[in-house]
Amino acid sequence: MKLEVRGLSKRFGKTKVLNSAEFSLQSGEIIGLLGKNGAGKTTLLRLLAGVSRAESGVFYLDGQPWHASKNENRRMIAMLAHQPWLYENLTAIENLRFYDQLYHCQLGETALRQLLAKVGLEANARQVVRGFSRGMKQRLAIARCLLHQPKILLMDEPFTGLDDDGSQMLLQVLQEERAKDHIILASTHELSQLGTIADGYLRVEAGKVLAESPTEVLA
């Protein structure tokens, strides 16, 4: 699977964040997204996820025109944003059950608990989310992203709030998703974490998206 982006532009007022950016993403790779604060990393992820509209640009999936916002394509994508998109007054398992219904996954209680166990929250299944720490919310948000088995995984600073154990859990999850030939794009400021497994990088700079190898980034 190959996702190609051509001529992607986005502005906020008079500021053009992306200017005819072009790049491609391949399945079976973990790609880090780099750039200074305000460079447009979050904007780029939101455009790819279909939650924000571009000024111009065309997307191709395996050579065919593709729109993330179309209903038939939404299940292909998951986005982990700065906000975990959780319901504070529901328990952990109720949150997953809600998204299970939203995506028509029809997962049973056992499968939902296995997903919580995967992110280290099985013991907190019946705990209301408003009592969770930031790291626990991040773990649950990761589980939410994995629930519908997306083929394109977009993550905005995914290590936020995670302790060492949580970071190791996330690295394991990302490697498992790569083994399934999924597309993974994750923005990061901390190369010591993602850098251990990344296959390459994209850098947002002056409105363009530049491809870099791990050797170039870490040199």
Side-chain angles (χ1 to χ4, degrees), residues 7-192:
L8 187 63
S9 297
K10 178 70 175 180
R11 72 170 69 236
F12 294 103
K14 295 182 179 180
T15 303
K16 203 157 193 175
V17 181
L18 294 170
N19 186 14
S20 297
E22 300 195 352
F23 60 95
S24 62
L25 298 168
Q26 295 274 4
S27 60
E29 291 185 340
I30 297 171
I31 302 299
L33 182 61
L34 309 178
K36 296 179 180 179
N37 288 337
K41 301 186 299 298
T42 296
T43 298
L44 177 58
L45 290 170
R46 289 177 59 84
L47 291 173
L48 290 174
V51 297
S52 183
R53 181 172 294 182
E55 179 183 329
S56 63
V58 183
F59 298 81
Y60 297 95
L61 188 65
D62 291 335
Q64 299 299 315
W66 186 79
H67 301 278
S69 59
K70 286 190 175 181
N71 288 336
E72 61 267 28
N73 294 332
R74 287 188 180 278
R75 276 198 62 168
M76 292 185 65
I77 295 178
M79 181 173 177
L80 182 69
H82 284 297
Q83 296 297 323
W85 296 345
L86 301 172
Y87 290 88
E88 297 272 322
N89 292 324
L90 298 180
T91 65
I93 201 162
E94 285 171 344
N95 265 275
L96 292 188
R97 190 176 294 118
F98 171 81
Y99 282 101
D100 171 79
Q101 294 171 355
L102 186 66
Y103 285 108
H104 307 289
C105 297
Q106 297 182 328
L107 298 179
E109 185 85 2
T110 298
L112 294 179
R113 283 189 169 274
Q114 287 174 343
L115 190 52
L116 288 173
K118 187 182 187 73
V119 298
L121 290 178
E122 186 177 20
N124 308 98
R126 300 296 179 184
Q127 186 175 342
V128 176
V129 169
R130 67 171 176 270
F132 278 16
S133 67
R134 180 65 181 89
M136 292 170 71
K137 289 178 181 179
Q138 191 74 348
R139 287 172 181 261
L140 184 56
I142 292 168
R144 172 186 59 76
C145 286
L146 299 175
L147 185 142
H148 59 290
Q149 300 181 28
K151 294 182 179 180
I152 302 172
L153 190 55
L154 308 171
M155 311 186 96
D156 199 355
E157 298 293 341
F159 293 95
T160 299
L162 296 179
D163 57 15
D164 289 343
D165 287 343
S167 295
Q168 289 303 311
M169 174 274 296
L170 177 56
L171 289 172
Q172 179 64 33
V173 164
L174 293 178
Q175 291 176 92
E176 290 174 0
E177 292 300 300
R178 173 169 58 190
K180 297 174 184 176
D181 275 341
H182 293 169
I183 290 174
I184 303 160
L185 179 64
S187 70
T188 183
H189 283 104
E190 186 49 74
L191 291 178
S192 64

